[in-house]
Amino acid sequence: MNILKYNPIEVMNNMIGDKTTNKRPFFKEPDFILFIVIIIAATALRLYQLDVRPFHHDEAAVGSFAYKLFTNGNYEYNPVFHGPFLYFLTVSVFNIIGDTDFTARVVPALTGVGMVLLVYPFRHYFGRQGWLITAAFFAFSPSFLYYSRFFRNDIFITFFTLTAVVCAVKYLEQRNNPNRLIYVALGSAALALSVTAKENAYVTIALLGFPVGIYVLYRIWLLYRTRHQQHDIIASLEKNMFRILMDTGLFIVVFLAIFVIFYSYFFKDFEAVKGATFSAFSHWYEMHEIERIGGPPYYYIPLLFLYELPVALFAFIGSIDYVTRFIKSRENPMMVFMVYWLAASLAAYAYIGEKVPWLILHPLLPAVLIAGAYLGEVVPSLKQRPRWAEAAFVVILVLSSAFFLYTSYNLNYKNCSDPAEPLIQASQPPQEFQHFMATLYETADRHKGFYTEIEVTDNEMDTQLLWQIRHYKNVKWRVNLENDPVLDAPIIIVHDEDADYVKQVVDDDYHRLDSAKMAWYWFKPGDINYRFIMYRQLDRPRSEYGVVLFYR
């Protein structure tokens, strides 16, 4: 497992098969076949009924922004809606297969499959069982699966972060080989694309870059301490100066090229490039200060144990074990780096004032790697342990994994719009909202189709409806009821508090449909009991944002 002892030639021989010893090629090995099965399962789980769940409020906001770019070609970076990567990629998909709920979510879904594929390069470090367990964790994880079926940016950040880590590992393998430049370029591109996806990529880069900088300073200090002559330090640096300059220069050029291309909207707006980083930092600082959606510092830890029980459990145990072994014998520095990454991520997102459930993916990423690698070490050695210890470990692993799968199924397919699931935060109630939208569409079809007049008096419905009725050409937004308007459109959408007034001023041929655009819970410590943990049952009604449809 020591990355510095890795021999690429031996690995290639193992992969392609050694004819002199009649070894089978790796792609014919049971491990590889099982990996393909996991990939197929991950793909099916992410694409199955991908468009059944109504668009979440945040998905609708991002979707309307993407549709605006798709229809009129206008793009302007706004940190509230995050970086340009998601929009440019989604519009490319729209141009090929159209703008639907499915096509909007298909890019995050396939990115989630990509997370599973990226486990493959770690197979030599995580052990035969470990890398497959890691792949299975990514494939079936409640959190990764849910946010792979969710039209937002965080799945891209985790994908690009994992890509950068893979490139760093491969770079260390090839550090004296010209092939290392491939991984420099790919790693730089991954980090640049993560920055163009969402602003918290800067947090990730800072967390990953800090130990690298400390390590470089430590090596210089160690060289100075052991040799005591400054010219030896200079000679050592000069020996590798060309390689250092080449690698650093390539990294910077690739990063800046991608950054400029995306934020300038393919060289159409260079002014946007200048303010992009400042806007990103100022937006996140503002969200941190106002705590728009606040929570305790430990907000993400209960979520990890509620949804990712075996990952959280074995990442915690494995972290202690890896750090202890490193202190004693300097064993496995790569896994100690993973432990640092997990601890630093939890600390960073504990400090950041805004607590939203999709940010759980960022500490979960190193947790999956640690848990998978640790289980890859422990599982093969169970026969060497006392029978009681072996039995206890198997029971814990089986029960926690069963709860993991049960939770993943409930979150992603059974309760996928139930705000009692904390990862959902706030949802569009599926029966109510789908009935609302179906009635709206049917009414429009009976009149002038996409040219049917629609009046919206509820100012808070803009975000949701900008996506849902994006194809309708005759929508009057933010109609002011205080000015006593003549409400005579075939479709009128109002807040439930204004419904009685509107009922009085419209003609008798209107039908009324009471619905809700959003539902949520503000959780309390008393909500956490057996019935909630197993069945997401709460003893009180959910809160809703009511909306009423008047239609002829």
Side-chain angles (χ1 to χ4, degrees):
M1 298 266 310
N2 189 338
I3 191 171
L4 299 180
K5 295 181 180 179
Y6 172 83
N7 188 335
I9 304 301
E10 292 180 5
V11 172
M12 288 300 297
N13 289 335
N14 290 335
M15 290 176 60
I16 63 177
D18 187 342
K19 294 181 180 179
T20 61
T21 57
N22 296 318
K23 289 183 179 180
R24 288 186 297 178
F26 182 72
F27 61 82
K28 294 184 178 180
E29 292 291 334
D31 288 359
F32 186 77
I33 295 172
L34 184 55
F35 183 53
I36 294 299
V37 171
I38 293 173
I39 292 171
I40 293 173
T43 305
L45 289 171
R46 282 155 176 78
L47 296 181
Y48 175 68
Q49 294 186 340
L50 187 59
D51 56 352
V52 169
R53 174 176 55 82
F55 255 42
H56 184 278
H57 182 269
D58 283 25
E59 288 183 289
V62 174
S64 64
F65 209 65
Y67 184 72
K68 179 181 177 182
L69 174 61
F70 173 58
T71 53
N72 60 28
N74 293 333
Y75 176 79
E76 183 177 350
Y77 170 59
N78 184 343
V80 174
F81 296 101
H82 307 304
F85 174 83
L86 174 62
Y87 303 107
F88 295 163
L89 191 58
T90 302
V91 167
S92 299
V93 176
F94 285 174
N95 283 321
I96 298 172
I97 52 180
D99 58 300
T100 66
D101 289 8
F102 181 89
T103 55
R105 287 175 174 155
V106 74
V107 176
L110 296 179
T111 303
V113 177
M115 297 285 295
V116 183
L117 291 170
L118 285 173
V119 176
Y120 185 77
F122 286 114
R123 66 195 182 282
H124 307 294
Y125 305 111
F126 286 12
R128 292 191 63 189
Q129 290 85 357
W131 78 279
L132 291 173
I133 292 172
T134 304
F137 278 154
F138 279 128
F140 300 104
S141 159
S143 306
F144 275 112
L145 179 55
Y146 182 77
Y147 290 117
S148 295
R149 296 164 57 86
F150 195 82
F151 188 45
R152 272 192 65 91
N153 312 68
D154 290 271
I155 191 65
F156 298 110
I157 301 292
T158 54
F159 174 80
F160 290 131
T161 301
L162 186 56
T163 301
V165 171
V166 168
C167 289
V169 171
K170 304 302 287 186
Y171 175 83
L172 291 175
E173 294 172 5
Q174 304 285 337
R175 61 191 181 278
N176 295 318
N177 189 310
N179 289 339
R180 75 186 187 279
L181 296 176
I182 297 174
Y183 301 108
V184 172
L186 289 176
S188 176
L191 292 178
L193 289 171
S194 70
V195 168
T196 66
K198 192 178 178 184
E199 297 75 15
N200 63 319
Y202 292 109
V203 176
T204 300
I205 292 173
L207 295 181
L208 296 181
F210 177 74
V212 174
I214 294 297
Y215 176 76
V216 171
L217 293 176
Y218 167 75
R219 294 291 296 179
I220 294 175
W221 173 80
L222 188 64
L223 183 64
Y224 178 80
R225 184 185 179 194
T226 54
R227 299 189 179 182
H228 299 290
Q229 292 185 11
Q230 189 173 3
H231 72 271
D232 288 336
I233 301 174
I234 297 174
S236 178
L237 290 175
E238 288 178 348
K239 181 179 179 180
N240 299 295
M241 186 59 67
F242 179 75
R243 187 182 72 181
I244 294 171
L245 290 175
M246 178 183 293
D247 296 357
T248 304
L250 178 61
F251 184 94
I252 293 173
V253 168
V254 171
F255 187 96
L256 290 179
I258 292 174
F259 186 90
V260 170
I261 289 171
F262 276 79
Y263 278 105
S264 69
Y265 188 15
F266 301 100
F267 309 115
K268 296 177 182 178
D269 183 9
F270 282 101
E271 288 298 319
V273 177
K274 299 178 182 179
T277 301
F278 176 78
S279 297
F281 277 95
S282 61
H283 170 71
W284 271 73
Y285 180 76
E286 181 182 358
M287 293 299 101
H288 167 71
E289 285 291 301
I290 66 175
E291 296 188 14
R292 180 175 59 101
I293 304 175
Y298 56 82
Y299 174 83
Y300 299 102
I301 294 177
L303 291 179
L304 287 172
F305 281 92
L306 180 63
Y307 287 102
E308 313 284 343
L309 183 57
V311 174
L313 185 62
F314 292 107
F316 176 73
I317 298 172
S319 295
I320 296 174
D321 186 48
Y322 285 128
V323 171
T324 302
R325 285 154 51 186
F326 182 77
I327 292 173
K328 290 181 178 179
S329 58
R330 296 294 185 269
E331 181 182 348
N332 210 336
M334 184 173 74
M335 293 313 301
V336 174
F337 170 79
M338 298 288 184
V339 174
Y340 154 80
W341 181 11
L342 171 59
S345 296
L346 286 172
Y349 288 102
Y351 172 73
I352 293 174
E354 180 152 321
K355 302 292 190 295
V356 286
W358 39 82
L359 293 179
I360 194 177
L361 295 185
H362 305 290
L364 178 59
L365 173 55
V368 168
L369 299 176
I370 295 168
Y374 182 68
L375 288 171
E377 291 187 28
V378 173
V379 170
S381 65
L382 285 177
K383 295 295 183 182
Q384 304 170 12
R385 300 172 184 265
R387 295 294 296 273
W388 68 266
E390 179 184 355
F393 181 88
V394 170
V395 168
I396 293 172
L397 179 59
V398 169
L399 290 180
S400 63
S401 298
F403 182 73
F404 171 81
L405 295 174
Y406 169 77
T407 304
S408 189
Y409 165 75
N410 284 337
L411 170 66
N412 288 285
Y413 306 105
K414 184 180 178 182
N415 303 330
C416 60
S417 290
D418 188 348
E421 293 281 0
L423 279 193
I424 295 177
Q425 188 190 50
S427 70
Q428 278 55 55
Q431 291 76 24
E432 295 173 274
F433 192 74
Q434 285 177 338
H435 186 202
F436 176 92
M437 293 309 307
T439 304
L440 186 152
Y441 297 149
E442 291 169 2
T443 303
D445 288 342
R446 290 196 302 268
H447 290 80
K448 298 180 180 179
F450 291 136
Y451 293 92
T452 301
E453 185 178 0
I454 300 174
E455 294 178 326
V456 182
T457 72
D458 186 350
N459 297 343
E460 298 298 324
M461 282 296 291
D462 290 14
T463 301
Q464 190 68 25
L465 291 177
L466 280 170
W467 170 258
Q468 298 291 350
I469 59 175
R470 61 194 180 280
H471 296 143
Y472 290 84
K473 313 299 183 182
N474 193 8
V475 182
K476 295 181 179 178
W477 299 98
R478 304 197 173 202
V479 176
N480 191 342
L481 292 177
E482 295 180 359
N483 295 333
D484 295 325
V486 178
L487 299 175
D488 57 0
I491 298 172
I492 304 171
I493 301 170
V494 305
H495 191 282
D496 61 351
E497 294 179 353
D498 300 321
D500 291 339
Y501 168 76
V502 173
K503 179 65 175 177
Q504 295 174 2
V505 300
V506 298
D507 296 336
D508 294 336
D509 58 347
Y510 279 89
H511 299 279
R512 171 174 174 169
L513 174 62
D514 288 83
S515 185
K517 77 150 189 171
M518 187 182 298
W520 64 89
Y521 285 99
W522 292 113
F523 288 95
K524 303 174 183 178
D527 294 328
I528 311 303
N529 52 42
Y530 173 79
R531 288 184 296 107
F532 172 78
I533 292 173
M534 295 302 299
Y535 308 111
R536 298 299 188 265
Q537 294 180 0
L538 292 169
D539 297 327
R540 53 195 171 85
R542 64 193 182 189
S543 300
E544 288 187 345
Y545 187 102
V547 62
V548 178
L549 175 67
F550 289 94
Y551 63 98
R552 286 195 307 220

